[in-house]
Amino acid sequence: MSVDLDAIHADLSPPAERIRLVVSDLDGTLLTPLKSVTDASRKMVQRLSTLGVPLCLASARPPAAVMPVVKTLGLTGPSAAFNGGAIFRPDGTLEVNRVLDAEVLNIILDVLHVHRVETWFLRGSTWLVEDSSTGFVALDRRMTGLEPTEISSLRNERYDIGKVVGVSNDYGLLKRVEAELGAMLIGEASVRRSAETMLDVTPALANKGEGLRQLAKACGVEPHEVACLGDAQNDLSMFAAAGLSIAMGQAEEEIVAAAHFQTDTNEREGWAQAVERFILPRIQKP
């Protein structure tokens, strides 16, 4: 079934004229492919701060893997991890911590096992895997700085699981599994790809749209006064909740269609350009 991308974009509400908060995705957005923040982006974060507009992060990562960026940028407000399932302060204090039901975990494990998709559990910032020697584990270790905990079976884990991750190089398979699990778990879990190789399953209210609303409330602003930036499927709910949405240059067509504007890629200063071009003109000067 084809999707009318032009119709999706045409149906968007007009972009907000006043912005008081910026919420940004990390991987593929604020971070370069080398997982760093450029000098140009740092300067834009400082510019936002000078104008009294906070930056909050919203990531699929666990809190401990978001915290280094919070500290690097000197952010003072809350951030969202696990696609909004965890809201935490710069000192690491959790204000929201949503977890998956045990029966939902069984369904997720069954489906991912049938499709032979490598599976991980996240409990807070504890990363549980059945095989720590896989290439995907090595890659994520380098990306996040977290160390995995190898266990005999994920089936034995039944409490405080905030996110399940399915990883595969078969992009088409993950897309099909996303649709299958999403249909099976309507109202019970949020099922979204955070990258071509990663499928995230979190509690139903653990999505970036709800995360954005929580961050806006904590900062004393309304969702329609928020600008957000992202690049992946798990950013779509955030785009729908914000007053201004900006897709990165490398985002899929469906993501771009759901955003008000598109900037350059995360390899070519797309984040800094987006702030300067689309957000700063919408900030009321002190």
Side-chain angles (χ1 to χ4, degrees):
M1 182 179 66
S2 62
V3 177
D4 190 338
L5 300 177
D6 290 336
I8 291 174
H9 189 74
D11 198 44
L12 296 177
S13 300
E17 296 182 359
R18 183 191 184 196
I19 295 300
R20 299 177 59 204
L21 173 67
V22 176
V23 175
S24 178
D25 171 51
L26 275 184
D27 298 291
T29 303
L30 178 58
L31 299 183
T32 71
L34 296 177
K35 306 305 175 185
S36 62
V37 181
T38 68
D39 289 340
S41 292
R42 290 173 190 267
K43 290 177 181 177
M44 285 300 165
V45 173
Q46 185 57 49
R47 184 84 179 275
L48 289 170
S49 178
T50 300
L51 293 171
V53 176
L55 169 66
C56 296
L57 305 179
S59 174
R61 294 184 178 200
V66 179
M67 189 68 74
V69 185
V70 171
K71 292 181 177 178
T72 293
L73 296 175
L75 304 184
T76 58
S79 291
F82 291 156
N83 293 325
I87 307 293
F88 66 97
R89 289 285 174 181
D91 64 0
T93 302
L94 279 172
E95 297 192 342
V96 175
N97 185 32
R98 305 186 193 279
V99 296
L100 289 159
D101 180 79
E103 288 306 311
V104 171
L105 288 173
N106 283 335
I107 294 170
I108 298 167
L109 283 173
D110 287 343
V111 171
L112 294 182
H113 177 74
V114 165
H115 291 289
R116 298 183 180 180
V117 175
E118 184 176 335
T119 306
W120 308 333
F121 278 6
L122 279 298
R123 176 184 291 131
S125 290
T126 301
W127 174 20
L128 303 173
V129 303
E130 293 180 343
D131 182 357
S132 60
S133 67
T134 71
F136 279 119
V137 168
L139 178 63
D140 214 58
R141 180 192 281 126
R142 291 195 299 272
M143 183 179 78
T144 65
L146 296 181
E147 288 297 321
T149 298
E150 186 173 292
I151 59 175
S152 59
S153 175
L154 295 175
R155 293 276 181 188
N156 297 329
E157 305 300 322
R158 286 290 181 271
Y159 69 94
D160 289 347
I161 302 302
K163 185 172 79 164
V164 178
V165 181
V167 289
S168 172
N169 276 323
D170 189 334
Y171 308 153
L173 172 63
L174 276 191
K175 192 172 184 178
R176 293 193 298 275
V177 173
E178 177 185 34
E180 180 181 343
L181 267 177
M184 294 175 69
L185 298 176
I186 290 176
E188 297 183 275
S190 174
V191 184
R192 283 292 187 181
R193 284 169 292 144
S194 58
E196 287 183 316
T197 59
M198 284 192 167
L199 177 66
D200 295 341
V201 186
T202 53
L205 290 179
N207 62 76
K208 288 193 179 182
E210 181 62 24
L212 182 144
R213 284 185 279 270
Q214 293 281 340
L215 294 172
K217 182 178 180 180
C219 293
V221 307
E222 296 297 325
H224 67 263
E225 299 175 304
V226 179
C228 68
L229 305 94
D231 74 308
Q233 288 284 330
N234 63 333
D235 295 313
L236 288 175
S237 61
M238 181 167 68
F239 285 9
L244 174 66
S245 52
I246 304 167
M248 298 301 293
Q250 78 280 2
E252 297 175 357
E253 289 183 344
E254 182 182 352
I255 312 301
V256 175
H260 290 110
F261 301 110
Q262 183 179 23
T263 186
D264 211 330
T265 70
N266 67 326
E267 294 181 292
R268 298 174 47 168
E269 300 290 4
W271 196 90
Q273 292 176 33
V275 173
E276 183 170 34
R277 182 179 178 187
F278 303 120
I279 298 176
L280 292 183
R282 291 175 164 82
I283 296 175
Q284 292 186 353
K285 305 302 184 287

